[in-house]
Amino acid sequence: MKKLLTLGAALLSLTFSASAQKMASCCARPAGNLSASATETFAMLATDKDFSGGHDAPLPYKFEGDGQEIEFKTPDGKTGKGFEIKSATPSTKYLFVLHEWWGLNDYIKKEAATFAAEMPGVNVIAVDLYDGKVATTADEAGKLMGEVKTERAVAILKGAQLYAGPKAQFASIGWCFGGGWSLQEALLGGKQTVGCVMYYGMPEKDVAKLKTLNTDVLGIFASQDKWINPEVVGQFQKDMAAAGKKVTIESYDADHAFANPSNPKFNKEYAAKAHGQALTYLRGKFKVKA
């Protein structure tokens, strides 16, 4: 009997150990700096079938407005890509638009054009973090998001900042995947950063990093979001307070991606209201009149 009890205890120990290892591999922060963990944690959702299943493929759409494709040098010796809509008058004000997990598609170009029209005197660049690749299905989007390397994405954003120039003022806005990267863009911009808007993106968790922010943050979230949920948002508020930085949280009784017109969870009323809040915030940061 004693041997049986000992064997049972050993088996239970092995089972618990395996379960703990599985949990650790799923939920532990990725190796590397904490700046990487926030974005890489979100990228892990690429393997979540519930997450990908909540994103219907975008309806066909062709952007035919003003703007041009651009390329710029990146610190890693490569080139980055983007879509730029320049101000009609010379300006050192730049809004960086960060795409969702689909990539820099025509919907994002339309968003960039909308902000450019609403903020005369501001250059708008939709930055391509996928190096020219665009997804048309959820499987493709998950694959592209999961393949993003933090070092490369950082190099692309730094390249865009160098393209804007040392005297430029930066603000950023992004959704979903791009929401998290909007905050990272703000951190990378240092003293040149004047504003940051993030829609339901993964917040930075490193308080030491948040202390380096040169701006406050407008965070737009959805209370029904299963991933960037109220608990995650609440922790972000605590972390920003610990860092001595201001964050304004606008929470809507909606689901993740509620501001995306190609998503089945799209809420036209809330999307319009959130856009108005983002626009008012950005106009204030750039000192642009309505």
Side-chain angles (χ1 to χ4, degrees), residues 37-89:
S37 73
T39 52
E40 289 177 6
T41 297
F42 190 82
M44 288 179 182
L45 292 175
T47 60
D48 187 324
K49 294 300 182 183
D50 190 27
F51 181 81
S52 61
H55 293 74
D56 284 357
L59 297 172
Y61 171 73
K62 178 68 175 177
F63 175 74
E64 297 179 346
D66 294 332
Q68 63 179 355
E69 306 285 345
I70 61 170
E71 289 192 356
F72 45 83
K73 294 181 180 179
T74 55
D76 57 0
K78 302 178 182 179
T79 57
K81 295 179 173 64
F83 181 78
E84 181 180 29
I85 303 171
K86 292 187 71 67
S87 167
T89 57

Side-chain angles (χ1 to χ4, degrees), residues 18 53 63 100 114 122 139-141 176 243 278:
F63 175 74
E100 297 176 307
T114 297
V122 177
D139 286 343
E140 290 175 353
C176 187

